[in-house]
Amino acid sequence: MLSNQTLQSTLDGLKNIARVDLAAMDTEGKVLASTFDNAEEYSPYVESFADSPAESQGVSRAQFFKVFDDGQLEYVIVAKGDSENVFIVGRIAAFQVANLLVAYKERYDKDNFIKNLLLDNLLLVDIYNRAKKLHIESEARRIVFVIETKHEKDTNALEIVRSLYQSNQKDFITAVDEKNIIFVKELASDEGYEEMNQVASTMLDMLNTEAMSSVHIAYGTIVNEIKDVSRSYKEARMALDVGKIFYEGSNIVGYNNLGIGRLIYQLPMPLCKMFINEIFGDKTPDDFDEETIATINKFFENSLNVSETSRQLFIHRNTLVYRLDKLQKATNLDIRNFDDAITFKIALMVVKYMKYMESMDY
């Protein structure tokens, strides 16, 4: 069913071109859209016409036309006047509304197909059969973006993304929950992850500017078949979570750039707890004072370089060495040693992951 706004816009456009007043009514004679006042005076004629076998009819100085949807009478178009020109314009209006019904239904069907595809609700044979029926290429390079908005049901953000990319009939923009916009993009043969990162940057800038909305964008890997689109979607969802945990400063995260964060994210919680207990015992990094935490972070930022770290912290080299010795006594890990530094860094990341997962349980 078309919206009344769409019907009104269509009739207004036709009147501006043909200078003929038009109205669209349902089968019970209710006025849905009209370019003239008192269109309801034709309601009794519409009800009678709807029950007749005729597909068009001239009554009371007006022309009436039926619009069907899969054999079911959906609308009656009224063209005001009884001239030959009015009859032609009325037929054009009915034809236009019928085509809109087909287009909107196809769009709705495609939207449902993409949603079910993303959520793995289709059998493999159904994926290819429905894709063929909906004229969707089954073998094409595609990638899935997940755009998380700050507010639930952010229709403004959804419309902005659609205005940017909906014109390409090979791309799909939908939503599978309250806060996430899903963008399934078809890629040209020469497009890769660098171009996709630029696409994400464009969306981010536009949403921040036009929608005044803070968003996070993640994307999966490039897939070559329609059946693998759901995998790219799951990867994008994972990238969104991993980005929040380990890359707080970045609003765009690609699955192909997650690094060790992707591995940690897939660890079971019991294993994480066992690992942290081995490293820190009864303590956790939260027990360290701010000075120690700042020293650790700066030391890692400077690739374990003692001189550069002490310079940036504005402390004497011996003071830094003292802090690192103190940390070694507390954890049995000397982060000046490469192997111990890796272990400590991973432990910090595991703790962040555990905190995030615990927060999601509440």
Side-chain angles (χ1 to χ4, degrees):
M1 181 73 73
L2 301 173
S3 69
N4 290 354
Q5 183 179 359
T6 299
L7 287 170
Q8 187 65 55
S9 176
T10 301
L11 299 188
D12 286 341
L14 288 170
K15 181 185 176 179
N16 288 337
I17 296 171
R19 299 289 186 263
V20 172
D21 277 314
L22 300 159
M25 302 188 182
D26 64 16
T27 56
E28 296 177 352
K30 179 182 176 182
V31 179
L32 304 176
S34 177
T35 64
F36 60 94
D37 296 330
N38 302 320
E40 59 272 5
E41 68 183 47
Y42 291 104
S43 295
Y45 302 108
V46 168
E47 290 187 75
S48 176
F49 172 59
D51 293 332
S52 74
E55 293 193 8
S56 64
Q57 193 174 64
V59 180
S60 186
R61 296 184 59 79
Q63 304 289 338
F64 297 79
F65 303 87
K66 291 179 179 177
V67 178
F68 295 91
D69 182 15
D70 282 342
Q72 178 74 32
L73 180 60
E74 198 69 50
Y75 300 109
V76 172
I77 302 298
V78 179
K80 195 175 180 181
D82 54 7
S83 67
E84 180 68 20
N85 180 56
V86 170
F87 178 80
I88 293 173
V89 173
R91 287 196 64 181
I92 291 172
F95 179 75
Q96 179 69 11
V97 171
N99 279 344
L100 282 174
L101 275 172
V102 172
Y104 271 70
K105 178 184 268 189
E106 183 173 291
R107 175 177 169 181
Y108 176 77
D109 286 346
K110 284 184 176 180
D111 193 61
N112 272 348
F113 169 68
I114 293 298
K115 284 181 180 179
N116 285 313
L117 177 66
L118 294 171
L119 297 173
D120 279 334
N121 290 336
L122 298 171
L123 296 174
L124 186 61
V125 65
D126 291 333
I127 291 175
Y128 287 99
N129 286 341
R130 290 188 63 180
K132 184 177 180 180
K133 184 177 180 181
L134 293 170
H135 308 291
I136 298 174
E137 186 65 43
S138 59
E139 293 185 1
R141 299 175 74 240
R142 294 184 175 93
I143 194 169
V144 178
F145 292 85
V146 175
I147 305 143
E148 184 183 77
T149 59
K150 186 175 181 180
H151 307 290
E152 293 187 359
K153 297 182 180 179
D154 195 337
T155 54
N156 191 24
L158 179 61
E159 289 308 312
I160 287 173
V161 177
R162 281 181 171 157
S163 69
L164 281 171
Y165 299 104
Q166 192 73 69
S167 59
N168 187 343
Q169 298 299 314
K170 296 181 179 181
D171 294 339
F172 304 98
I173 298 164
T174 186
V176 295
D177 55 36
E178 299 292 338
K179 292 183 69 173
N180 292 321
I181 300 167
I182 313 301
F183 176 27
V184 182
K185 178 172 177 55
E186 184 170 319
L187 281 66
S189 58
D190 59 345
E191 288 183 310
Y193 292 110
E194 184 177 343
E195 288 77 14
M196 294 306 99
N197 203 66
Q198 185 57 49
V199 168
S201 296
T202 301
M203 286 192 288
L204 182 69
D205 292 342
M206 187 65 73
L207 289 168
N208 286 339
T209 303
E210 299 293 332
M212 302 296 288
S213 178
S214 177
V215 300
H216 290 87
I217 302 176
Y219 53 89
T221 56
I222 298 170
V223 297
N224 296 310
E225 290 195 46
I226 190 80
K227 68 180 178 64
D228 294 322
V229 166
S230 63
R231 190 188 78 213
S232 185
Y233 168 65
K234 291 172 186 172
E235 292 168 347
R237 290 299 298 260
M238 179 189 288
L240 195 64
D241 284 342
V242 173
K244 290 177 186 176
I245 302 170
F246 303 118
Y247 309 106
E248 296 170 283
S250 178
N251 289 324
I252 299 174
V253 182
Y255 182 82
N256 60 318
N257 291 320
L258 293 182
I260 197 170
R262 177 168 58 237
L263 297 176
I264 294 173
Y265 182 80
Q266 297 179 82
L267 293 175
M269 286 299 285
L271 187 61
C272 291
K273 291 177 181 178
M274 185 185 303
F275 174 68
I276 294 303
N277 187 59
E278 288 177 3
I279 302 301
F280 298 113
D282 295 333
K283 295 184 177 182
T284 69
D286 292 335
D287 296 326
F288 299 141
D289 55 55
E290 291 184 12
E291 183 182 79
T292 302
I293 294 296
T295 300
I296 294 168
N297 290 334
K298 187 61 68 175
F299 192 58
F300 283 136
E301 283 177 21
N302 289 293
S303 303
L304 314 185
N305 187 308
V306 174
S307 299
E308 184 61 23
T309 302
S310 60
R311 188 185 69 81
Q312 291 188 21
L313 288 174
F314 303 103
I315 60 176
H316 194 277
R317 177 187 174 94
N318 290 343
T319 304
L320 176 59
V321 170
Y322 169 75
R323 291 181 186 178
L324 296 177
D325 287 341
K326 184 180 175 182
L327 180 65
Q328 182 180 1
K329 289 178 182 178
T331 62
N332 290 320
L333 292 173
D334 182 2
I335 61 174
R336 288 163 291 191
N337 176 281
F338 183 72
D339 289 342
D340 284 357
I342 291 176
T343 302
F344 198 92
K345 181 66 174 178
I346 292 173
L348 291 178
M349 294 178 72
V350 170
V351 169
K352 290 186 73 172
Y353 166 63
M354 291 171 64
K355 283 184 179 179
Y356 176 80
M357 295 306 292
E358 287 169 1
S359 70
M360 296 299 289
D361 291 337
Y362 292 102

